């Protein structure tokens, strides 16, 4: 039982930067991977980035590979997404989620949202042009 709360979403100009945070709380936080997904109006929720909790191995969608940086602070149980060189196409609600291979998450590939058991409420990012 994990609770996730995203924050940091805002209205920014194209080319600007923004950092999102995802704070985890609850009885325990033992997921092996944390990820960011986003969903634009009328579109499917898609993978953005992920990071393994212990080793820090990162994964990125091609659309954000050279612009976004995912990181985590294990002492604070917090996940981050540093977004740079923002584009209008980045406008979406951003969600954080947790994946644990021991609980069946490993059946799916890292970018597959079906492998993530717990989700935050989302935070809105709007990039104006």
């Amino acid at each position: 039982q994990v609770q996730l709360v995203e924050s940091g979403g805002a209205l920014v100009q194209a080319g600007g930067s923004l950092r999102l945070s995802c704070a985890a709380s609850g009885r325990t936080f033992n997921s092996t991977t944390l990820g960011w997904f986003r969903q634009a109006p009328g579109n499917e929720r898609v993978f953005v980035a992920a990071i393994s909790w212990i080793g820090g191995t990162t994964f990125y969608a091609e659309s954000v590979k050279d612009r976004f940086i995912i990181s985590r602070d294990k002492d604070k149980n917090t996940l981050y997404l540093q977004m740079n060189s923002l584009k209008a196409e980045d406008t979406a609600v951003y969600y954080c989620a947790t994946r644990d291979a021991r609980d069946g998450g490993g059946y799916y590939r890292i970018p597959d949202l079906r492998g993530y058991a717990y989700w935050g409420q989302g935070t809105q990012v709007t990039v104006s042009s």
Side-chain angles (χ1 to χ4, degrees), residues 9-26:
L11 172 64
V12 298
Q13 293 188 49
S17 297
L18 196 63
R19 189 177 78 158
L20 306 182
S21 299
C22 173
S25 62

Side-chain angles (χ1 to χ4, degrees), residues 101-123:
R102 295 169 297 179
D103 292 330
Y107 180 83
Y108 303 97
R109 294 165 51 251
I110 289 291
D112 194 327
L113 59 83
R114 291 175 293 181
Y116 294 76
Y118 297 97
W119 294 80
Q121 84 292 341
T123 186

